[in-house]
């Protein structure tokens, strides 16, 4: 059993299972359970949630969402070393403090979360320039539409981002 340093999780918030939210993910329960189990392999978890105001650039492209922070405290309590951050852009690495913490902790970016086709994809792309290795845990990611999730995973795999199944973690890392 190998403990890794930091897991970065995008959009681990209440909007994911709110059927009236633009961020609603039909498979939220399966993905949440997977993230909780995956997090046990890490010393820390950085949860980087969208928290927008109406003037954020991202809202020029997609409808308003996450206009306030809606953390999931009961699920976060099942994880160790949780630190919460906010972002106003697609990438978790757009938050300079998050970027600094991750760079100080090593040369690998371990990533999962919601909105595979936007937030996870953009964070992984940004990570290519900053880290020697970017690993995305496929079964711990979810999206508004499953075809978007699958497409984003295929794009990341094509450009050399390592796509992992956390259940095989001990053997592959």
């Amino acid at each position: 059993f190998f403990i890794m340093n930091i897991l970065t999780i995008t959009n681990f918030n209440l909007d994911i299972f709110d059927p009236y939210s633009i961020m609603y993910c039909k498979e939220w329960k399966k993905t949440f359970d997977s993230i909780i189990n995956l997090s046990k392999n890490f010393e820390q978890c950085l949860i980087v949630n969208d928290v927008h105001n109406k003037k954020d650039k991202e809202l020029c492209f997609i409808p308003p969402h996450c206009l306030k922070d809606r953390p999931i405290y009961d699920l976060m309590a099942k994880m160790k070393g949780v630190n919460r951050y906010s972002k106003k852009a697609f990438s978790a690495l757009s938050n300079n403090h998050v970027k600094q913490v991750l760079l100080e902790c090593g040369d690998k970016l371990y990533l999962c979360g919601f909105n595979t086709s936007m937030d996870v994809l953009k964070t992984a792309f940004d990570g290519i320039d900053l880290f020697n290795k970017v690993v995305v845990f496929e079964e711990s990611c979810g999206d508004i539409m499953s075809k978007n999730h699958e497409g984003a995973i295929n794009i990341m795999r094509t450009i050399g981002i390592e796509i992992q199944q956390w259940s095989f973690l001990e053997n592959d890392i």
Side-chain angles (χ1 to χ4, degrees):
F1 184 62
F2 180 72
I3 299 287
M4 289 164 290
N5 204 5
I6 297 180
L7 176 64
T8 304
I9 306 167
T10 63
N11 296 321
F12 195 76
N13 63 49
L14 291 171
D15 287 357
I16 298 306
F17 59 82
D18 178 351
Y20 298 104
S21 169
I22 188 166
M23 293 179 66
Y24 176 68
C25 177
K26 290 179 186 172
E27 297 187 9
W28 65 267
K29 176 76 169 110
K30 180 178 113 187
T31 307
F32 276 137
D33 290 345
S34 180
I35 291 171
I36 296 295
N37 287 323
L38 173 64
S39 73
K40 294 173 185 171
N41 294 285
F42 290 85
E43 293 173 4
Q44 294 185 62
C45 296
L46 300 185
I47 295 175
V48 189
N49 287 338
D50 281 8
V51 180
H52 293 291
N53 66 50
K54 293 178 181 176
K55 295 180 182 180
D56 287 344
K57 190 173 184 178
E58 182 178 312
L59 301 185
C60 295
F61 302 101
I62 57 177
H65 60 283
C66 298
L67 297 175
K68 60 183 177 178
D69 192 13
R70 297 177 67 196
I72 310 167
Y73 292 110
D74 57 329
L75 291 178
M76 289 181 350
K78 297 178 181 182
M79 306 161 93
K80 57 185 168 186
V82 173
N83 291 294
R84 285 188 314 119
Y85 299 94
S86 62
K87 64 184 182 69
K88 296 185 178 299
F90 292 113
S91 176
L93 298 173
S94 66
N95 179 312
N96 287 327
H97 188 70
V98 169
K99 187 186 315 182
Q100 179 183 345
V101 167
L102 290 169
L103 287 169
E104 288 173 0
C105 289
D107 63 349
K108 296 180 181 98
L109 173 64
Y110 296 105
L111 181 62
C112 68
F114 287 93
N115 295 340
T116 315
S117 62
M118 291 181 271
D119 300 66
V120 174
L121 180 67
K122 177 68 168 113
T123 303
F125 276 24
D126 289 351
I128 290 171
D129 295 331
L130 298 170
F131 301 94
N132 289 333
K133 184 176 185 180
V134 176
V135 178
V136 173
F137 295 99
E138 180 177 5
E139 60 195 9
S140 298
C141 292
D143 204 281
I144 299 162
M145 296 186 336
S146 60
K147 69 179 182 178
N148 292 355
H149 167 81
E150 292 162 11
I153 292 293
N154 287 333
I155 289 168
M156 289 185 278
R157 186 178 284 122
T158 299
I159 63 167
I161 292 168
E162 187 174 326
I163 306 300
Q164 281 272 354
Q165 302 299 321
W166 70 262
S167 51
F168 298 108
L169 205 54
E170 294 101 19
N171 300 327
D172 292 346
I173 297 211

